[in-house]
Amino acid sequence: GGAAMKGEERRAFLLRSLQEAHGSLTGSDLASMSGVSRQVIVQDIALLRGQGIDITATRSGYALPSSFDGGEVRLVKVRHAPEQAEEEMLAVVDLGGALLDVAVNHRAYGKLTATLDVRSRRDVARFMEDIRSGKSSPLCAVTSGYHFHHIAAYGPDASCVLDEIEKVLGEKGFLAEMLPYEVGQI
């Protein structure tokens, strides 16, 4: 409990808590930590997202992609033809990685991010089906192919898994060089 914080202060606190959590925190966790109701937390999260902060709602609570499930996360820049999207995603999941999101830098719209949460061949199949049925369109279609993924790997050898994924994406010719200004931007 303790005294309720002011909105701005509380949202900074929420963000710090999520950054330090290495995983997810439920709305109730955050509510009791900041002395407000769960409804207020839900509104706070919406406001933070409105400021462009990428907070993911998972089954187990709220998380920042970088602290996802305590996995290790790496940003990769890739480019491929639309028909190679499936091959790219399978390369990642077959090596034990998860595609958390896809982001593009659009000239007119700025940074666009979509949550993917693709962790298995079944997820890839479902995603491709959504694309084919027109339920969702691939974000990379608007950027002549260049896009970014936060890729996560889990367990004690997570960074080796991520190295391996980058190596395979490179061998397939999908990996693009990250420009210095892009690193902090995505």
Side-chain angles (χ1 to χ4, degrees):
M5 302 177 221
K6 293 192 187 67
E8 201 61 23
E9 198 185 323
R10 188 180 59 244
R11 286 186 285 280
F13 170 76
L14 291 182
L15 202 51
R16 210 166 46 244
S17 305
L18 287 169
Q19 280 162 345
E20 291 164 4
H22 298 301
S24 51
L25 292 169
T26 66
S28 312
D29 291 339
L30 292 165
S32 62
M33 285 159 65
S34 50
V36 293
S37 71
R38 217 184 122 267
Q39 282 74 11
V40 173
I41 297 296
V42 171
Q43 289 163 355
D44 279 343
I45 298 284
L47 284 165
L48 288 167
R49 281 178 167 158
Q51 293 166 17
I53 294 160
D54 193 10
I55 298 171
T56 310
T58 67
R59 282 182 291 282
S60 49
Y62 296 108
L64 292 164
S66 58
S67 63
F68 226 84
D69 294 359
E72 195 169 319
V73 179
R74 191 171 298 174
L75 181 68
V76 297
K77 180 182 182 182
V78 288
R79 184 183 197 178
H80 54 72
E83 61 273 13
Q84 292 173 306
E86 188 167 12
E87 188 187 343
E88 177 213 35
M89 293 198 282
L90 288 173
V92 173
V93 300
D94 283 352
L95 290 164
L99 289 126
L100 301 183
D101 58 15
V102 55
V104 298
N105 266 328
H106 191 278
R107 273 199 202 91
Y109 302 120
K111 181 192 146 190
L112 303 173
T113 307
T115 302
L116 288 177
D117 205 21
V118 168
R119 294 163 184 265
S120 64
R121 283 189 156 248
R122 184 183 288 154
D123 290 346
V124 173
R126 195 177 303 133
F127 177 81
M128 296 315 298
E129 188 44 49
D130 285 352
I131 299 280
R132 278 191 281 269
S133 66
K135 241 188 272 178
S136 49
S137 73
L139 204 46
C140 55
V142 297
T143 60
S144 74
Y146 281 115
H147 54 286
F148 301 83
H149 292 294
H150 281 105
I151 292 177
Y154 306 94
D157 56 350
S159 57
C160 299
V161 170
L162 291 170
D163 289 344
E164 183 71 11
I165 288 170
E166 280 200 79
K167 189 172 140 252
V168 169
L169 291 175
E171 285 164 3
K172 289 178 178 290
F174 294 161
L175 216 51
E177 195 172 342
M178 192 93 67
L179 303 171
Y181 76 88
E182 289 171 330
V183 177
Q185 207 180 41
I186 298 291

